[in-house]
Amino acid sequence: MTAQPEQGQPHKPRAGESSTLDAVRLRRVNRWQAQGLGGGLADLYVDSRETSAAEAYRSRSRQDFLNRLTGDIRRPGFAMVIAETDHLVGCAFGFPVRRDGFWWTGFDGALPQSIEQLTASGGVFAISSVLVQPHPQDQDVACRLQKRLLGDHQASLGATLVDQDDHPALTSLRSWGWLDVGEVWRPGPTMFHALVFPLGERTAVRLEELAHDAWTRWPE
């Protein structure tokens, strides 16, 4: 029986505790199990955010995460993979993008043909969050989580939207291999960066030039 993460208390390394994540196990959880993990996942969200904001801001961010998680759990095809040792150290979750392309509503300009084709074929999976507890090996764990989640759904392309002001998230995703491909505007109005994660050489080649163009648009 796998131990469940403590609810309401983000993990704090204890004296003498191993700092390696070599023993990290990945496990799929269904929507009912994900609901039961809500508190622990929210703690992980707060713990994974590199911020010095006031506690009031952190609390609102935690609730925003829980609201988004609840909404995603209700979506058809919702899936989650968690990473754990003797406690929760990471998670990734999302849902399949509908073939009609509705998820891309608000894309600035014409949706690139390669992405449109992959969407129409049912090969795109939207990842809402990849969260990993801060650690020297967090990049390895994040890559394992996202590849497992996408691989389980036989997706050709992962996709995600990140608020333009969420620089820590953008930096992390880019370091994990995500590519900028455009901008998406949503009511607010709010501008998001659209990023994709190609799986397989053929998909990567199809998107390489597109990603290069996006990087020249947003030098950072």
Side-chain angles (χ1 to χ4, degrees):
M1 180 177 180
T2 304
Q4 297 295 319
E6 296 179 1
Q7 302 296 310
Q9 292 294 329
H11 175 75
K12 302 297 182 183
R14 297 178 291 272
E17 181 179 28
S18 173
S19 62
T20 69
L21 291 182
D22 295 337
V24 167
R25 302 176 301 277
L26 302 188
R27 179 166 63 95
R28 289 187 63 178
V29 296
N30 60 36
R31 64 181 67 237
W32 312 116
Q33 292 169 322
Q35 286 179 327
L37 291 171
L41 294 171
D43 292 336
L44 177 64
Y45 171 78
V46 173
D47 199 31
S48 67
R49 302 285 292 179
E50 297 181 0
T51 176
S52 58
E55 183 62 32
Y57 174 82
R58 290 165 58 90
S59 296
R60 288 199 300 272
S61 296
R62 186 180 192 277
Q63 188 58 52
D64 288 344
F65 169 80
L66 284 171
N67 293 341
R68 180 157 51 89
L69 174 63
T70 298
D72 282 350
I73 286 175
R74 296 171 180 165
R75 291 178 180 268
F78 170 83
M80 175 181 287
V81 175
I82 63 173
E84 55 191 357
T85 52
D86 60 342
H87 63 281
L88 185 67
V89 297
C91 78
F93 61 88
F95 50 89
V97 171
R98 285 167 30 183
R99 293 172 185 260
D100 62 7
F102 182 78
W103 189 83
W104 296 103
T105 298
F107 191 88
D108 189 8
L111 186 66
Q113 185 176 19
S114 56
I115 294 179
E116 185 177 12
Q117 291 172 343
L118 288 168
T119 302
S121 68
V124 181
F125 189 91
I127 294 186
S128 296
S129 288
V130 179
L131 306 174
V132 180
Q133 191 176 74
H135 187 278
Q137 296 181 36
D138 56 5
Q139 180 171 330
D140 293 335
V141 176
C143 289
R144 288 176 58 193
L145 280 166
Q146 63 193 21
K147 288 180 179 178
R148 170 67 182 275
L149 183 60
L150 295 171
D152 283 351
H153 287 267
Q154 299 182 331
S156 299
L157 189 72
T160 194
L161 299 178
V162 181
D163 189 291
Q164 62 176 335
D165 296 323
D166 194 347
H167 300 295
L170 285 167
T171 299
S172 295
L173 287 166
R174 288 165 178 163
S175 72
W176 299 340
W178 288 76
L179 308 172
D180 296 87
V181 294
E183 302 168 352
V184 172
W185 290 89
R186 292 290 165 83
T190 303
M191 193 272 278
F192 294 87
H193 287 290
L195 295 94
V196 297
F197 185 83
L199 283 88
E201 293 184 5
R202 292 182 61 185
T203 303
V205 170
R206 292 172 68 182
L207 296 173
E208 184 176 357
E209 184 176 349
L210 182 64
H212 178 268
D213 290 343
W215 270 106
T216 59
R217 291 172 62 191
W218 304 319
E220 290 187 5

